[in-house]
Amino acid sequence: MKHEEAEANKEIGGREAKGQRSKRAEKQKGKRVGGNSKIQNAQSPVPNPQSPVANPQSPVPNLDNWLEIGKIVSPQGLSGELKVYPVSDFPERFEVPGKRWLLRLDGTEPQPIELLTGRYISNKNLYVIKLTGVETCDQAEALRGCKLMVPVSDRPQLAEDEYHVLDLIGLEVFMQASGELVGTVVDIIPAGNDLLEVRLHESFTTDKGQMTNDKKQKTVLIPFVEAIAPLVDLQSRRIEITPPPGLLEINS
């Protein structure tokens, strides 16, 4: 699966021949599930920087036409380099020089900026990048918490059997054998194989004796692999699953 996002923007790439179906993609509520996945990135600890708080009176930016590809978490060294936590598994976003867009904490829309260089730090799931005009540690520090963006129109072409997260969120999930409605996809969780987070339908939880007094509806995690989710029909807005016994009760 691949993965990028902007407001909730993501992409998902396709299944490998051996059944791995996930790779994180890009935040436009699309992820990309896919073959050459960098799943190890998703397993690394996620940085939790203390970002500056934007002015609460600042206008909320409209990012419908933008994909977030990464978040600046801190300066790197003294020469203006920046550490970026990626929300995209497309390495070219951070390694290939060219135009990107920077959304500042108090900004109303992303502003163009040039990416000069970038490299990946695998054990930290971070990229170190150099942006034009950022020459000192203080200038880099001023960008802490800002987001790197690209236009939605720049969303990479997906290969066969790859999906944008935007296309998967909201799909209904059915048991393939019986046609029974299981629930609705509410998120994609990066893991060794990406996981569909499915909010169970009330009728399904009642039938399975899983109803509780909790006000929050139950969710389960379903591996997004060929063997368990053999059918994805975007036109019909449905996914059919063939889960092994007990899978749907694991997270109950």
Side-chain angles (χ1 to χ4, degrees):
M1 179 147 33
K2 282 201 173 185
H3 168 142
E4 288 180 9
E5 309 192 39
E7 159 243 85
N9 299 339
K10 303 179 186 175
E11 296 176 357
I12 294 190
R15 293 172 282 193
E16 285 187 348
K18 291 185 179 179
Q20 181 177 350
R21 182 171 187 151
S22 309
K23 178 157 180 151
R24 296 199 310 163
E26 308 190 287
K27 272 189 178 179
Q28 200 244 357
K29 219 59 179 174
K31 283 182 182 173
R32 176 182 176 185
V33 184
N36 321 330
S37 168
K38 284 189 182 195
I39 293 304
Q40 66 269 22
N41 293 2
Q43 296 171 330
S44 304
V46 176
N48 185 23
Q50 295 296 321
S51 301
V53 178
N55 185 340
Q57 297 181 342
S58 298
V60 176
N62 182 352
L63 301 178
D64 289 346
N65 296 318
W66 296 92
L67 300 173
E68 178 191 338
I69 60 172
K71 182 176 182 179
I72 296 171
V73 296
S74 70
Q76 166 71 17
L78 303 176
S79 62
E81 287 188 316
L82 299 153
K83 291 180 182 177
V84 174
Y85 176 68
V87 288
S88 171
D89 275 336
F90 296 96
E92 60 269 28
R93 296 299 198 191
F94 312 98
E95 297 176 348
V96 177
K99 183 182 287 188
R100 305 294 188 273
W101 284 260
L102 183 68
L103 179 64
R104 297 179 182 273
L105 293 176
D106 58 353
T108 57
E109 62 181 34
Q111 299 298 316
I113 196 164
E114 199 76 12
L115 174 70
L116 300 176
T117 62
R119 63 187 187 275
Y120 183 61
I121 305 176
S122 59
N123 62 332
K124 294 185 178 179
N125 189 26
L126 292 170
Y127 285 88
V128 173
I129 66 169
K130 180 74 171 173
L131 298 176
T132 185
V134 184
E135 305 293 341
T136 69
C137 183
D138 286 344
Q139 290 174 326
E141 179 63 41
L143 298 181
R144 185 190 291 264
C146 297
K147 296 177 179 180
L148 290 175
M149 317 290 291
V150 295
V152 168
S153 59
D154 192 38
R155 193 162 61 169
Q157 190 74 27
L158 297 185
E160 184 180 356
D161 202 24
E162 293 186 334
Y163 306 92
H164 294 294
V165 168
L166 181 62
D167 297 332
L168 295 177
I169 301 296
L171 264 60
E172 291 185 320
V173 178
F174 295 85
M175 298 291 286
Q176 188 170 69
S178 65
E180 182 181 10
L181 174 61
V182 176
T184 304
V185 177
V186 295
D187 201 1
I188 310 295
I189 309 298
N193 289 304
D194 287 318
L195 303 170
L196 301 173
E197 183 178 3
V198 176
R199 179 178 294 124
L200 296 177
H201 191 268
E202 183 176 335
S203 63
F204 185 83
T205 55
T206 301
D207 291 345
K208 304 303 176 187
Q210 297 176 1
M211 290 298 289
T212 69
N213 293 325
D214 296 342
K215 293 182 179 180
K216 185 177 179 181
Q217 270 187 289
K218 286 186 172 296
T219 61
V220 295
L221 301 178
I222 299 173
F224 194 46
V225 295
E226 179 82 35
I228 296 177
L231 177 67
V232 180
D233 188 336
L234 298 182
Q235 277 195 320
S236 298
R237 304 287 297 161
R238 67 186 283 137
I239 296 174
E240 294 182 4
I241 62 172
T242 56
L247 176 66
L248 298 182
E249 285 77 40
I250 289 176
N251 302 110
S252 299

